[in-house]
Amino acid sequence: YGGPNLRGLGHIGRSKSSSVSNLGPGSLPLGLRRGPGVPGSHRSDYGGGHRGEFDDGASDISSTTSGYRSGRVSARLYREPVSKSNRPIVMNAIEFVVFPGAVNRETRMRVLEEIERCDCPHFLLLFRDNRLQFRALYAFYPDTEEVFKIHGNGPKQITDNMIENYYKYNSGGKKFTQIHTKHLTVTIDAFTIHNSLWLGKKTRLPDKKGLPLVI
């Protein structure tokens, strides 16, 4: 009677060990990859909706062994975009265009402090007219389209029909450019209101829905 071939058994053991060690999250059978809670699966019984909870904001540069990173990348592709705040743009405008130089330092610092103190998503500057003389700083909430005064002289709240001209600030060229539009959007950094509002006259404001867009 011959004993078992130990060399053959060793070969079988090595093959099994090797096959297990090479199994990664992407190499699992389909039935296992679809189970909830399995790291690195691209689809689960819940539709993959819970993978976003594991997003810790870490870098997704590269990983050849972890399935969690690829899961985070997939989840990030479906996030709703968040509008970027114009805070640095308005601060740049105040420092270099609206209140430049040492002579305006006190006023400039006061307005900049108001911006730093407020956590609103968007800021607007109110000018007296097309000569762009600063009058007030406003907070703009795009979700509700509400505009409230933070600092300066001007109406406590602004609505679309009160605005006469819209302006966008170019931080590279250090200048404001008039934008031809009928409605306030997040692309706007400053505006002027109708002259009658400054004079205190109770006149009927124009309905912008019926106004032609002049370019």
Side-chain angles (χ1 to χ4, degrees):
Y1 174 75
N5 190 333
L6 297 179
R7 183 176 183 181
L9 291 176
H11 173 71
I12 294 174
R14 285 195 303 271
S15 299
K16 184 176 181 181
S17 175
S18 176
S19 63
V20 171
S21 63
N22 290 331
L23 276 178
S27 304
L28 294 175
L30 184 60
L32 293 178
R33 283 192 286 122
R34 295 186 60 181
V38 178
S41 74
H42 294 276
R43 183 178 178 183
S44 70
D45 292 338
Y46 300 98
H50 297 278
R51 288 202 308 273
E53 297 177 0
F54 297 97
D55 189 352
D56 58 1
S59 173
D60 294 315
I61 295 175
S62 65
S63 175
T64 57
T65 58
S66 174
Y68 287 103
R69 291 181 182 268
S70 62
R72 285 204 298 269
V73 172
S74 300
R76 286 181 177 179
L77 293 178
Y78 296 98
R79 285 183 177 177
E80 294 183 4
V82 179
S83 59
K84 187 177 181 180
S85 173
N86 71 337
R87 180 189 300 266
I89 295 176
V90 171
M91 294 181 73
N92 183 285
I94 292 173
E95 183 174 1
F96 296 103
V97 177
V98 181
F99 295 117
V103 67
N104 294 313
R105 185 180 184 280
E106 184 178 346
T107 306
R108 178 175 66 247
M109 295 306 297
R110 185 161 57 247
V111 177
L112 291 176
E113 287 173 1
E114 292 292 342
I115 294 178
E116 290 286 359
R117 190 178 296 117
C118 182
D119 60 354
C120 73
H122 200 87
F123 295 90
L124 295 170
L125 301 178
L126 170 63
F127 295 136
R128 174 60 179 86
D129 49 35
N130 57 8
R131 289 179 293 179
L132 308 183
Q133 299 170 325
F134 176 86
R135 286 295 180 267
L137 172 70
Y138 285 80
F140 174 40
Y141 296 88
D143 293 341
T144 58
E145 298 184 350
E146 292 177 306
V147 182
F148 299 100
K149 185 176 68 174
I150 302 174
H151 173 77
N153 299 318
K156 293 182 178 179
Q157 189 170 358
I158 298 293
T159 56
D160 260 345
N161 63 345
M162 298 171 65
I163 301 178
E164 184 175 21
N165 294 317
Y166 302 83
Y167 297 89
K168 180 178 178 60
Y169 180 69
N170 185 326
S171 56
K174 301 291 188 296
K175 65 178 182 179
F176 284 93
T177 303
Q178 185 175 348
I179 302 297
H180 298 281
T181 182
K182 296 180 181 180
H183 304 287
L184 190 60
T185 66
V186 292
T187 62
I188 303 302
D189 302 312
F191 65 96
T192 60
I193 58 178
H194 294 287
N195 191 53
S196 59
L197 295 172
W198 292 113
L199 301 177
K201 295 180 180 180
K202 294 183 179 180
T203 57
R204 183 178 179 181
L205 296 174
D207 183 2
K208 293 192 175 184
K209 293 181 180 179
L211 291 177
L213 181 60
V214 180
I215 300 177

